[in-house]
């Protein structure tokens, strides 16, 4: 971090401490909501989602050859192959907008093209099979189908647009000093590395498996009931793999790489959660901007209502599956179905904490462009759905 940036942070902290009227009831409640949201986040997501994700990102950076990443996700790879891999990977993981960040950082810094990498970034939280099923059951099959189709299409279109806008940057990454394909010095076979990564991905999936609702299919409830037994068994398998197939030096490099991702991502993420909690609060709890104000601004199907819904969804943080009951409440308060779809398409894929963290991974310019693409497409999809389908 530059010295000027450090100075600006210190000055901003001082001005906030000096001028924020903490004796005002709304400000005190918003401050409390910020830390309550941080506590919720720490309890529900850090140990079961982020920590496994950091270790997977560290493993990608250390054990996956750059040549392999470039072959399947690089700027010169087959577009059909790279975008298919990115979308399917996201659908399998089905994580929230914050948990996908270390994984995105891992493949992007390893040489993946900006297009496939951002397709993966969008698809991870957006193409969640359980969330789409829940949306269909609670909010209606039309909205569930529109969400499923929109999420798959958005994933590919967002990636293609990012690849086109930043094509010169991708070309420079291929030709510059960052492009350094590894000379493979493998001590393990490919299937051993694949099993090692698959074990960690399964740990992430089962440890973060969200509680199904009362009306969900029995298979989801059985999986949820068994999640900790399966996670414990997978941890034992991982320990055996590490003991049998890896050298001490490799494990040290893996831990150091995971720690590097944690230092880069976690401070920005937790700071973003505090800001989001201060402005919007937790679902069902009022903070600086009450939910009733948001509900009042997203009635009907106007351009403004859809744009506001997309922007609000992009800024709010949704834990996995929580967007459905929140939308149910907002629809009951008068929200239009078009804005509801706009929020469903922008919300799970983005959040204020994720935006702040992405700036540290790919810079302000790419982050703002990615957010703008998601918000504009979500707005357009909401208007089309509200005017012609709903």
């Amino acid at each position: 971090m530059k010295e000027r940036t450090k100075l600006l942070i210190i000055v901003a902290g001082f001005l906030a401490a000096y001028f924020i009227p903490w004796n005002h009831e709304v400000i005190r409640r918003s401050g409390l909501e910020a830390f309550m949201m941080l506590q919720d986040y720490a309890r529900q997501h850090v140990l079961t989602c982020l920590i496994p994700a950091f270790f997977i990102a560290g493993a990608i950076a250390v054990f996956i050859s750059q040549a392999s990443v470039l072959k399947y996700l690089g700027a010169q790879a087959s577009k059909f192959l790279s975008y298919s891999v990115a979308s399917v990977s996201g659908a399998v993981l089905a994580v929230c907008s914050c948990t996908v960040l270390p994984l995105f950082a891992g493949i992007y810094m390893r040489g993946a093209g900006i297009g496939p990498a951002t397709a993966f970034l969008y698809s991870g939280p957006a193409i969640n099979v359980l969330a789409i099923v829940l949306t269909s059951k609670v909010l209606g099959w039309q909205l569930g189908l529109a969400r499923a189709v929109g999420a798959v299409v958005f994933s590919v279109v967002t990636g293609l647009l990012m690849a086109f806008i930043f094509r010169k940057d991708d070309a420079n990454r291929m030709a510059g000093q960052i492009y350094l394909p590894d000379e493979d010095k493998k001590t393990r076979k490919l299937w051993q590395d694949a099993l090692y990564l698959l074990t960690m991905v399964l740990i992430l999936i089962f440890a973060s498996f969200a509680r199904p609702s009362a009306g969900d299919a029995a298979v989801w409830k059985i999986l949820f009931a068994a999640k900790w037994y399966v996670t414990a068994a997978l941890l034992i398998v991982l320990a055996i793999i590490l003991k049998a197939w890896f050298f001490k030096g490799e494990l040290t490099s893996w831990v150091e790489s995971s720690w590097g991702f944690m230092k880069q991502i976690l401070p920005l993420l937790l700071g973003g959660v505090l800001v989001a909690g201060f402005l919007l609060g937790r679902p069902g709890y009022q903070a600086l901007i009450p939910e009733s104000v948001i509900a009042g601004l997203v009635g009907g199907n106007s351009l403004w209502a859809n744009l506001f819904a997309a922007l609000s969804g992009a800024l709010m943080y949704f834990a996995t599956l929580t967007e459905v009951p929140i939308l149910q409440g907002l629809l009951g308060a008068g929200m239009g179905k078009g804005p509801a779809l706009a929020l469903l398409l922008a919300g799970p894929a983005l959040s204020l904490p994720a935006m702040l963290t992405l700036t540290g991974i790919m810079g302000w310019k790419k982050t703002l462009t990615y957010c703008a693409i998601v918000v504009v497409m979500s707005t357009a999809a909401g208007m089309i759905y509200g005017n012609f389908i709903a």
Side-chain angles (χ1 to χ4, degrees):
M1 183 183 292
K2 295 178 180 178
E3 294 302 314
R4 184 172 60 180
T5 305
K6 293 178 183 177
L7 176 62
L8 287 175
I9 292 174
I10 292 172
V11 170
F14 169 76
L15 292 175
Y18 195 94
F19 287 108
I20 289 179
W22 289 105
N23 57 345
H24 193 283
E25 182 184 352
V26 174
I27 300 298
R28 281 207 305 273
R29 186 174 65 226
S30 301
L32 178 62
E33 271 305 304
F35 284 96
M36 292 298 289
M37 187 168 174
L38 184 64
Q39 185 181 58
D40 278 356
Y41 190 86
R43 288 179 175 177
Q44 297 181 24
H45 301 290
V46 172
L47 291 179
T48 56
C49 298
L50 278 177
I51 298 300
F54 284 131
F55 279 107
I56 294 172
I60 292 171
V62 173
F63 300 122
I64 302 298
S65 77
Q66 194 172 21
S68 298
V69 175
L70 291 169
K71 180 179 178 181
Y72 294 106
L73 296 173
Q76 303 301 320
S78 159
K79 283 187 171 49
F80 178 79
L81 176 66
S82 58
Y83 287 97
S84 298
V85 169
S87 300
V88 171
S89 303
V92 170
L93 286 171
V95 292
C96 71
S97 61
C98 293
T99 306
V100 77
L101 295 173
L103 308 178
F104 165 75
I107 62 171
Y108 181 63
M109 292 180 179
R110 204 60 179 153
I114 187 69
T118 48
F120 171 79
L121 177 65
Y122 182 87
S123 73
I127 306 175
N128 182 329
V129 175
L130 186 57
I132 289 172
V133 170
L134 186 64
T135 302
S136 301
K137 292 189 66 174
V138 176
L139 305 179
W141 68 268
Q142 299 93 335
L143 206 51
L145 179 63
R147 181 183 185 182
V149 173
V152 174
V153 172
F154 276 27
S155 169
V156 176
V157 173
T158 300
L160 289 173
L161 286 173
M162 289 292 288
F164 176 75
I165 294 169
F166 296 103
R167 58 191 182 281
K168 290 183 180 177
D169 183 74
D170 264 348
N172 291 335
R173 292 177 74 211
M174 293 293 294
Q177 295 181 352
I178 296 176
Y179 178 59
L180 295 171
D182 292 340
E183 292 294 331
D184 287 335
K185 297 177 182 177
K186 291 286 186 183
T187 56
R188 291 174 302 281
K189 295 179 180 177
L190 180 61
W191 69 267
Q192 291 176 313
D193 278 340
L195 183 59
Y196 159 65
L197 280 171
L198 177 63
T199 305
M200 288 197 293
V201 169
L202 289 175
I203 289 172
L204 170 63
I205 291 173
F206 277 98
S208 59
F209 199 88
R211 180 187 292 276
S213 62
D216 280 334
V219 64
W220 301 118
K221 296 174 183 175
I222 293 171
L223 286 174
F224 180 77
K227 62 181 276 187
W228 292 120
Y229 298 106
V230 177
T231 303
L234 289 167
L235 284 170
I236 293 172
V237 171
L238 180 62
I240 294 171
I241 288 174
L242 294 176
K243 178 72 175 176
W245 295 344
F246 289 80
F247 297 110
K248 184 178 179 181
E250 291 178 312
L251 297 179
T252 303
S253 299
W254 174 41
V255 172
E256 287 176 349
S257 177
S258 304
W259 172 236
F261 281 114
M262 190 178 294
K263 286 189 294 183
Q264 180 187 17
I265 292 173
L266 202 55
L268 285 171
L269 199 53
L270 297 182
V273 171
L274 277 174
V275 174
F278 185 83
L279 294 175
L280 300 165
R282 295 167 295 159
Y285 294 87
Q286 287 196 1
L288 193 63
I289 305 174
E291 284 183 3
S292 57
V293 173
I294 296 175
L297 291 170
V298 291
N301 193 51
S302 65
L303 172 62
W304 165 249
N306 281 286
L307 178 60
F308 188 82
L311 274 173
S312 304
L315 292 173
M316 293 171 72
Y317 172 73
F318 294 101
T320 307
L321 303 184
T322 57
E323 70 275 14
V324 177
I326 292 171
L327 254 295
Q328 191 178 19
L330 289 174
L331 283 167
M335 185 181 202
K337 289 194 174 181
L341 178 64
L343 193 147
L344 277 174
L345 291 173
L350 282 173
S351 66
L352 183 58
M355 291 181 196
L356 293 173
T357 308
L358 281 174
T359 61
I361 298 172
M362 59 180 181
W364 277 104
K365 191 175 179 181
K366 291 190 181 75
T367 301
L368 289 176
T369 304
Y370 171 71
C371 296
I373 289 172
V374 173
V375 169
V376 169
M377 289 202 307
S378 300
T379 304
M383 288 200 69
I384 293 169
Y385 180 77
N387 281 317
F388 301 106
I389 300 175

